[in-house]
Amino acid sequence: MQNTVHFILQGKGGIGKTLVSTILAQWLKAKDDTPLRCYDTDQENTTFSRYKALDVKHIPVMTQARTIDPKRFDALMIDILEADGNCVIDNGANTFSPLLAYLLENHCFALLEDSGRKVYIHTIVGGGDTLHDTAMGFVSTAKSANVPLILWENEHFGPLQSASGKAFIESQTYAENSSRVRGRVVLAQRNADTFGADIKKMNTARMTVDEVKASDKFNVMEKQRIKVVFRDLFDQLDKIDW
């Protein structure tokens, strides 16, 4: 993959945007020698920028008065356009609406595509109590941005199904917007005491898979479970028709 731009957009906080950003960045980095540039526009939780191995650049788009300065989004766009390579942009819940509005108002998706880049929006829908809000975020993004969507189904909060037991991907909400979905990735719910604890340990340390493999802070079984999780996620990403 070359010259792709990936925006991670979802208006609900704490749903896994940074996790998706780190997974995607590691997958892109592992694919080939194409340069990878990562950006963090989250103003409250700059977690993505703390992954030193991914060399994430923080773009401060909020002023001291706690307002969004659209001109600061210009810096992000200019940086993306200045060099070839793949880009991953993690965006916080507090800047979701301003960034999406900026991208649409300034026809940024067309600008990026005219410059020879393929643009994708990655949106996350969570299960359990997060389903309604995240599903509405999915709909809002699908209806407003005319670019391919990658749907990430996060089972960490529970099954992605309604109270009647109907799966999200079988719902009318999904059906009405499914033509926009280029691919799906499932963040499967696994044993919280083993897989869940290991992934949390890895994320808390802000480490990549390669760093975990080389670290003496993880035992052989922890490394094995993390490898299993990322092999599954990378396989799902490989199967998407980019």
Side-chain angles (χ1 to χ4, degrees):
M1 292 180 64
Q2 294 183 342
N3 287 342
T4 59
V5 181
H6 305 263
F7 292 95
I8 289 75
L9 297 175
Q10 170 55 260
K12 184 171 178 58
I15 196 62
K17 289 186 291 295
T18 298
L19 175 61
V20 167
S21 299
T22 60
I23 294 167
L24 183 61
Q26 291 177 76
W27 175 71
L28 287 166
K29 192 173 183 179
K31 286 195 72 65
D32 51 43
D33 294 329
T34 301
L36 172 67
R37 287 171 292 147
C38 299
Y39 302 90
D40 189 348
T41 66
D42 196 322
Q43 300 302 291
E44 302 296 336
N45 301 296
T46 57
T47 309
F48 192 33
S49 62
R50 296 174 191 166
Y51 282 79
K52 294 182 179 179
L54 299 176
D55 194 25
V56 181
K57 183 175 183 178
H58 183 231
I59 305 290
V61 296
M62 190 173 285
T63 68
Q64 291 184 346
R66 310 299 292 171
T67 58
I68 298 294
D69 182 358
K71 283 287 188 179
R72 298 190 182 187
F73 283 131
D74 287 354
L76 171 63
M77 289 297 301
I78 292 168
D79 208 272
I80 291 172
L81 290 163
E82 277 186 340
D84 290 340
N86 297 313
C87 299
V88 176
I89 302 96
D90 182 19
N91 185 62
N94 55 347
T95 52
F96 165 71
S97 295
L99 177 56
L100 186 56
Y102 169 90
L103 292 169
L104 295 172
E105 180 183 17
N106 293 279
H107 299 267
C108 291
F109 298 129
L111 173 62
L112 289 167
E113 290 170 351
D114 289 345
S115 70
R117 291 160 172 80
K118 291 185 177 181
V119 183
Y120 301 91
I121 290 178
H122 298 250
T123 187
I124 307 160
V125 173
D129 293 340
T130 70
L131 179 58
H132 179 268
D133 288 347
T134 54
M136 292 304 98
F138 162 76
V139 171
S140 174
T141 303
K143 290 187 179 302
S144 59
N146 188 28
V147 297
L149 298 183
I150 308 299
L151 172 64
W152 293 70
E153 301 168 49
N154 191 350
E155 297 180 351
H156 175 74
F157 304 96
L160 274 74
Q161 59 185 35
S162 65
S164 63
K166 191 171 187 177
F168 172 68
I169 60 170
E170 297 174 352
S171 67
Q172 185 67 25
T173 298
Y174 179 75
E176 291 174 353
N177 300 279
S178 60
S179 62
R180 303 292 312 289
V181 177
R182 177 66 61 86
R184 293 166 45 217
V185 180
V186 178
L187 294 166
Q189 176 67 281
R190 299 177 185 267
N191 189 318
D193 295 328
T194 52
F195 288 91
D198 299 338
I199 294 296
K200 182 178 180 180
K201 179 179 177 180
M202 172 187 175
N203 291 338
T204 300
R206 313 304 183 209
M207 295 173 70
T208 63
V209 173
D210 288 342
E211 288 177 308
V212 167
K213 291 178 180 177
S215 174
D216 59 5
K217 296 180 181 179
F218 292 78
N219 65 44
V220 64
M221 291 311 300
E222 290 173 332
K223 291 180 180 181
Q224 170 64 9
R225 285 189 287 266
I226 289 172
K227 185 166 67 174
V228 167
V229 170
F230 275 79
R231 183 189 299 131
D232 170 50
L233 293 169
F234 284 9
D235 283 348
Q236 292 186 65
L237 287 165
D238 283 338
K239 292 175 182 176
I240 295 174
D241 180 16
W242 302 98

